[in-house]
Amino acid sequence: GDIQRVQEGIKQAAQLRKEESELTARARLARDLAGLLRADRFQAYVQEAALRVLAEDGSRHLEEVSGGRYRFEVEGQEFLVVDHWNGDAMRSVRTLSGGETFLASLALALALAERLPELRATGSGTALESLFVDEGFSNLDAETRNVVADALERLHLDGTRMVGVITHDRELADRMPSRITVVKSQSGSALAVE
């Protein structure tokens, strides 16, 4: 009798130690998950993951429109550019010139346009086939204007998406394959298709 009770007690103690170990591991996992799922940490994780995807997709476009010069990287919550013409130096996008900033913005907009259908709640979105960019090109120098126009022309030749540019810059408008011009007169405004 006593030996049997002791043996059963030993078995029961071993079982309880095993259960305690499993419950401790589950509690540790739950605590870790609770820490990760805190609103601020989880949101930061999701944002960083989304930025990395956007940077990866945007890099394809940025390398194309910048003539192979730039690609994106993400550090924390910030976009950086890798400058292939400067020994792959990595720097903040805030250091880009006006024209380069436009190219970077255009690349990210194109990447986002590609991803939008996947991000819809229903998952059955249609592709974004056109994109309109309100420029702010009036203060660009001639060389930067040419870089921007070359990038837009390359996108036009690609033919997968229409990119419309809203501009007051006649030189830039003249480089576009087609134009809709707003003509003002005393009787009102009219559209002219060129």
Side-chain angles (χ1 to χ4, degrees), residues 182-191:
V182 177
V183 181
K184 293 182 180 182
S185 70
Q186 284 182 323
S187 59
S189 297
L191 298 179

Side-chain angles (χ1 to χ4, degrees), residues 27-97:
R28 189 178 309 116
L29 177 61
R31 189 174 51 252
D32 291 347
L33 281 174
L36 289 172
L37 293 175
R38 276 187 19 214
D40 58 342
R41 285 188 183 172
F42 185 66
Q43 182 177 350
Y45 170 78
V46 170
Q47 285 175 340
E48 284 182 34
L51 289 177
R52 281 192 298 275
V53 168
L54 194 55
E56 185 178 318
D57 291 350
S59 286
R60 284 185 294 106
H61 294 293
L62 185 57
E63 285 182 326
E64 181 183 338
V65 298
S66 70
R69 181 169 184 178
Y70 297 114
R71 72 176 164 79
F72 288 111
E73 287 290 334
V74 172
E75 194 171 274
Q77 301 282 317
E78 184 180 356
F79 279 111
L80 304 171
V81 289
V82 176
D83 188 343
H84 296 305
W85 293 5
N86 191 20
D88 287 343
M90 201 174 328
R91 57 193 171 101
S92 171
V93 291
R94 293 184 197 99
T95 65
L96 295 172
S97 70

Side-chain angles (χ1 to χ4, degrees), residues 61-67 99 102-104 106-107 110 144-158 163 165 172 175-176:
H61 294 293
L62 185 57
E63 285 182 326
E64 181 183 338
V65 298
S66 70
F102 170 80
L103 295 179
L106 180 61
L110 290 167
T144 306
R145 186 182 298 116
N146 281 334
V147 169
V148 168
D150 288 346
L152 292 168
E153 286 171 351
R154 279 196 294 275
L155 286 172
H156 172 71
L157 293 174
D158 178 357
V163 178
V165 177
L172 183 62
R175 293 222 16 212
M176 299 299 103

Side-chain angles (χ1 to χ4, degrees), residues 167-180:
T167 184
H168 293 93
D169 185 323
R170 191 68 216 179
E171 288 181 45
L172 183 62
D174 287 343
R175 293 222 16 212
M176 299 299 103
S178 57
R179 290 166 295 288
I180 299 172

